[in-house]
Amino acid sequence: MEKQHTTTENVMKGIFWSAMASTLWGFSGVIMQFVAKNEAVPTQWFISVRTLFAGILLLAIGSIHVGKHIFDVWKSKESIIRLFIYAIFGLAVNMSTFYVSIQEGNAATATILQYLAPIFIVLYGLIFMKKKPLKADVISFLLALVGVFLIITNGHIGELSVPLTAVIFGLLSAVSAAVYYSVPKPLSKENSPFVVLGWGTLIAGIGFNAYHPFWTDAPKITPGIVLGIGGVILVGTIFAFSAVLYSLKFAPSEVSSIVDAVEPVVTIILSMIVFHLIPTPIEALGAIIIIVSIYFLQRSHQKRDKEDSDIR
């Protein structure tokens, strides 16, 4: 009984810290809307600052954990190629498209659209890896389409309640998030996740700054901008990622993933409080449908992976 209690207690700790990470990401989305809309910070400058300084901080933390092993990821050609794909097509594209989606629309819609990333991971497997689709894949995909339709049209065909630019960039952020989640997995098995994320973010930061250095055409620096960018880097990157890694000490990722839906819910609630964004009943229904469809999709794939593992 004591072992059972300990296991249950660990699972609950894992769920708590995973929920904390999702909550912090939800806060980060709202902070980004404040930076993008209230402070009108240009996309290129914001991304240059965020990626460069977040990358430096993450690598500093990684060096405390593993010392000189922070350079191990550069020892093979395969890992270097994977790292650059992750940095460019995952992190760089995701951070910029998500910010533009918020800038053109709002944090709640951008977060919900990015939440579709698992759909694109499954579609990649179906199209390029010829994986046999599960029944849950088809159902989840159709449900997600219905949810997106309700959110962006408010139920009125031919009329968008969200700017088309925000929708396009939100969907692009979901595609890049699929790359962000999938590509670095082999690297994270052999290296500290802080190191992998740190190098990826720093590479993205160097790339952005080569195109648009953060010291050129900078906006007028206000306390709001400093607090906003600091909040995104610390809350949405350092603290949230630390909470995710800590949660995995107590419970496996499939248990923690149950609370992934906390992020869009927190973002919607905070947007209602801070920005007085009140979703219509149709938009709220669309958000619920998307959250349920993604949860259903993730659980079905976790179940199949577990069954395949048991067979082996």
Side-chain angles (χ1 to χ4, degrees):
M1 289 296 290
E2 186 176 348
K3 184 178 180 181
Q4 173 89 23
H5 173 72
T6 303
T7 302
T8 304
E9 185 178 300
N10 282 344
V11 169
M12 292 308 296
K13 283 182 180 178
I15 290 175
F16 170 80
W17 284 106
S18 183
M20 179 61 69
S22 293
T23 300
L24 293 172
W25 276 318
F27 269 96
S28 179
V30 173
I31 295 171
M32 268 195 267
Q33 180 167 336
F34 169 78
V35 171
K37 298 250 185 183
N38 294 53
E39 297 293 333
V41 174
T43 303
Q44 293 175 347
W45 187 85
F46 172 79
I47 299 299
S48 292
V49 171
R50 180 192 178 183
T51 50
L52 184 64
F53 289 99
I56 292 170
L57 277 174
L58 286 164
L59 281 178
I61 295 171
S63 67
I64 294 172
H65 285 180
V66 299
K68 64 181 181 181
H69 292 292
I70 60 169
F71 298 104
D72 287 357
V73 73
W74 295 94
K75 288 185 176 179
S76 75
K77 182 179 178 181
E78 181 183 348
S79 65
I80 292 172
I81 292 172
R82 186 174 289 275
L83 184 62
F84 271 87
I85 292 173
Y86 168 56
I88 297 168
F89 299 104
L91 285 166
V93 175
N94 179 257
M95 289 181 180
S96 54
T97 53
F98 185 63
Y99 186 76
V100 172
S101 183
I102 291 175
Q103 201 169 43
E104 297 294 323
N106 56 71
T109 303
T111 303
I112 285 290
L113 291 174
Q114 183 176 252
Y115 192 66
L116 294 168
I119 291 285
F120 290 102
I121 293 174
V122 171
L123 286 176
Y124 176 83
L126 295 178
I127 296 170
F128 297 102
M129 301 179 69
K130 309 301 180 185
K131 284 188 176 180
K132 185 179 178 181
L134 299 175
K135 187 177 180 180
D137 295 341
V138 179
I139 295 173
S140 298
F141 182 72
L142 293 176
L143 281 174
L145 286 179
V146 172
V148 170
F149 171 78
L150 293 177
I151 286 176
I152 68 176
T153 67
N154 199 20
H156 301 296
I157 299 176
E159 181 182 332
L160 291 178
S161 59
V162 179
L164 181 60
T165 309
V167 176
I168 292 172
F169 277 91
L171 292 174
L172 287 174
S173 77
V175 174
S176 58
V179 177
Y180 172 95
Y181 294 139
S182 303
V183 170
K185 282 185 178 180
L187 297 177
S188 297
K189 288 179 180 178
E190 300 173 357
N191 303 273
S192 164
F194 267 112
V195 171
V196 175
L197 180 61
W199 280 119
T201 308
L202 184 60
I203 291 169
I206 292 171
F208 278 121
N209 278 276
Y211 177 72
H212 188 280
F214 72 86
W215 58 84
T216 62
D217 298 325
K220 182 181 178 181
I221 304 301
T222 65
I225 289 178
V226 174
L227 290 174
I229 294 178
V232 170
I233 291 174
L234 293 176
V235 174
T237 305
I238 308 297
F239 296 160
F241 193 65
S242 298
V244 167
L245 293 182
Y246 192 62
S247 74
L248 296 178
K249 290 185 176 183
F250 300 104
S253 57
E254 59 265 23
V255 174
S256 301
S257 68
I258 294 172
V259 293
D260 280 350
V262 169
E263 180 185 352
V265 172
V266 168
T267 304
I268 291 170
I269 292 173
L270 287 176
S271 295
M272 293 170 65
I273 296 171
V274 177
F275 303 113
H276 309 293
L277 175 70
I278 308 299
T280 66
I282 296 295
E283 290 170 335
L285 177 61
I288 291 170
I289 289 173
I290 288 175
I291 290 171
V292 170
S293 69
I294 298 302
Y295 171 79
F296 183 53
L297 178 72
Q298 289 177 318
R299 294 300 292 168
S300 64
H301 276 264
Q302 287 162 2
K303 183 178 179 181
R304 183 174 72 171
D305 292 344
K306 186 177 185 303
E307 288 172 351
D308 291 344
S309 178
D310 291 341
I311 292 173
R312 287 195 293 269

